């Protein structure tokens, strides 16, 4: 169908009705006020702001976060991962709707994989969570991971804080399921849930030992499809967990069966999450873990910012293409390339 163009009043110019209207830039105060009021549109814009790599956006994002910090920290932060095809999105929709029906406000940070070749990402979680996406007490935010090692967006921590300031008391972080790199999600959540499929023998081969070591709970999903196989998988995972050293002296990770379709086990999973929180708080581990996460995040951010600052230097940018080419063709090794790049900075300081 041919699109009708509209004439702009007072001119001879025309515009398409689909033309994007440039949004007004919000002040820091307007963003803070909107987030605290639970305005979803402003919350989304605030998240976009903290995800941006533009220097001017970074400055405003930090101002926003500084003012919102007193209103953060009150949610249950739950990381959810699993092998491909385990049904993470289906589980999250069933689990999330259960929680909203009980009066909770649930934010879902669904981190999509970014293609290493094209840089694109799927960002399809809203279409896979039909009921939750229209739930007034839920908020779904898909964000590309940009190839970040931990399988989570580099600004997911700040996004969690923004959602907490907006009044969400449960934050679910769905990760890309990238195996051992998922250990990074444990550094920003209170509880780490690993979803697995029935068929323990095959599945134990498909999941890294490092993920099992940081799991607080293993849930065998789709248990309704083959209950006997699911029970066998549950026993296998329980045996595997007993061999591994738990991350806490006061919590022994366990396995259970769940079904996103029949909702079997969802109540039990939530009860275990609440029980874990109670034990961690009683033993003083909850506050200690959150403090440790802040410390780890400081160093993660420092490394990230140093690399960003370093690669933006003109002298470094001009040298990088040739060095990368030489590493690719084998004329120099990576260590030599790194030393040459660092010498650029050192020489620059000495010349001053």
């Amino acid at each position: 169908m041919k699109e009708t163009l509209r004439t702009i009043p007072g001119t001879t110019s025309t515009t398409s009705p689909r033309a994007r209207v440039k949004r007004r830039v919000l002040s820091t105060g307007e963003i803070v006020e909107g987030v605290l009021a639970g305005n979803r549109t402003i919350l989304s814009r605030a998240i976009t702001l903290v995800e941006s790599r533009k220097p001017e956006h970074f400055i405003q994002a930090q101002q926003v976060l500084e003012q919102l910090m007193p209103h953060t920290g009150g949610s249950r932060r739950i990381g959810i991962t699993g092998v491909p095809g385990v049904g993470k999105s289906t589980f999250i929709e069933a689990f999330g709707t259960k929680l909203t029906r009980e009066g909770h406000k649930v934010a879902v940070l669904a981190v999509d994989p970014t293609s290493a070749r094209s840089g694109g990402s799927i960002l399809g979680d809203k279409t896979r969570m039909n009921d939750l996406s229209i739930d007034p007490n839920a908020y779904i935010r898909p964000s590309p991971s940009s190839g970040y090692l931990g399988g989570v967006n580099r600004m997911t921590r700040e996004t969690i804080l923004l959602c907490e300031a907006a009044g969400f008391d449960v934050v679910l972080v769905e990760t890309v399921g990238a195996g051992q790199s998922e250990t990074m999600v444990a550094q920003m959540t209170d509880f780490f849930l690993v979803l697995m499929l029935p068929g323990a023998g095959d599945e134990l081969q498909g999941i890294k030992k490092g993920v099992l070591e940081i799991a607080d709970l293993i849930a065998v999903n789709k248990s309704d499809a083959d209950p006997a196989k699911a029970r066998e998988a549950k026993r296998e995972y329980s045996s595997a967990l007993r061999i591994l050293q738990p991350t806490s002296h006061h919590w022994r990770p366990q396995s259970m069966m769940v079904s996103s379709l029949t909702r079997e086990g969802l109540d039990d999973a939530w009860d275990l999450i609440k029980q874990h929180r109670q034990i961690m708080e009683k033993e003083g581990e909850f506050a200690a873990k959150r403090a440790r996460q802040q410390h780890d995040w400081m160093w993660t951010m420092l490394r990230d910012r140093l690399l960003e600052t370093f690669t933006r230097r003109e002298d470094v940018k001009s040298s990088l293409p040739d060095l990368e080419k030489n590493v690719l063709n084998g004329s120099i090794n990576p260590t030599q390339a790194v030393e040459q790049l660092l010498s650029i900075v050192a020489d620059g300081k000495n010349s001053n």
Side-chain angles (χ1 to χ4, degrees), residues 321-337 340:
D322 286 339
L323 283 172
E324 289 179 324
K325 181 181 177 181
N326 291 336
V327 169
L328 286 170
N329 63 31
S331 59
I332 65 172
N333 63 50
T335 302
Q336 290 174 307
Q340 288 187 36

Side-chain angles (χ1 to χ4, degrees), residues 199-219:
D202 296 333
E203 294 307 319
L204 280 172
Q205 298 298 319
I207 190 165
K208 301 291 186 180
K209 177 184 175 184
V211 176
L212 291 177
E213 287 177 331
I214 60 173
D216 294 304
L217 175 65
I218 292 179

Side-chain angles (χ1 to χ4, degrees), residues 67-314:
Q67 294 187 38
L68 290 176
M69 279 301 290
H71 307 278
T72 64
S75 78
R76 297 180 189 271
R77 304 170 183 174
I78 305 166
I80 301 176
T81 191
V83 295
V86 76
K88 289 192 298 291
S89 296
T90 306
F91 172 83
I92 289 172
E93 171 156 74
F95 191 57
T97 52
K98 162 197 156 47
L99 295 177
T100 58
R101 287 169 185 164
E102 294 177 359
H104 294 281
K105 292 188 66 178
V106 179
V108 179
L109 309 182
V111 185
D112 268 318
T114 298
S115 168
R117 292 186 177 180
S118 66
S121 58
I122 301 170
L123 298 183
D125 290 274
K126 283 193 175 182
T127 61
R128 297 198 298 270
M129 303 180 194
N130 295 323
D131 293 337
L132 205 59
S133 65
I134 59 174
D135 192 318
N137 289 317
Y139 174 79
I140 301 174
R141 174 70 182 199
S143 298
S145 62
S146 301
Y148 192 49
L149 176 63
V152 289
N153 185 284
R154 73 184 189 102
M155 289 301 154
T156 300
R157 294 174 188 260
E158 276 80 1
T159 303
I160 291 174
L161 298 178
L162 290 172
C163 290
E164 289 175 342
F168 292 94
D169 62 324
V170 178
V171 179
L172 307 178
V173 183
E174 177 193 1
T175 65
V176 299
Q180 208 158 8
S181 64
E182 292 296 72
T183 54
M184 196 165 290
V185 78
Q187 297 177 349
M188 65 179 71
T189 54
D190 307 319
F191 191 92
F192 191 55
L193 170 62
V194 178
L195 294 173
M196 298 300 291
L197 289 166
D202 296 333
E203 294 307 319
L204 280 172
Q205 298 298 319
I207 190 165
K208 301 291 186 180
K209 177 184 175 184
V211 176
L212 291 177
E213 287 177 331
I214 60 173
D216 294 304
L217 175 65
I218 292 179
V220 181
N221 197 20
K222 303 182 180 180
S223 61
D224 56 294
D226 191 335
K229 206 171 183 181
R231 282 192 293 272
E232 178 62 24
K234 176 181 177 295
R235 285 194 293 268
E236 290 286 342
Y237 293 130
S238 295
S239 298
L241 288 171
R242 280 194 293 270
I243 298 171
L244 299 172
Q245 181 69 30
T247 57
S248 168
H249 295 298
H250 304 100
W251 178 261
R252 171 64 67 176
Q254 52 190 287
S255 63
M256 63 177 299
M257 297 180 354
V258 297
S259 170
S260 303
L261 293 180
T262 66
R263 298 180 180 267
E264 174 200 358
L266 296 183
D267 289 339
D268 293 337
W270 181 238
D271 287 341
L272 285 171
I273 292 171
K274 291 189 293 183
Q275 182 183 341
H276 175 270
R277 174 70 168 263
Q278 291 171 352
I279 293 173
M280 293 298 103
E281 288 182 335
K282 179 183 177 182
E283 301 297 336
E285 285 195 38
F286 179 77
K289 183 178 181 180
R290 286 249 176 131
R292 189 169 62 251
Q293 288 174 345
Q294 288 292 92
H295 176 268
D296 293 342
W297 180 231
M298 180 193 77
W299 282 102
T300 301
M301 281 293 293
L302 178 60
R303 288 189 288 268
D304 192 37
R305 293 284 292 157
L306 283 174
L307 180 61
E308 210 168 8
T309 303
F310 179 74
T311 53
R312 278 180 178 164
R313 287 176 57 111
E314 291 300 325

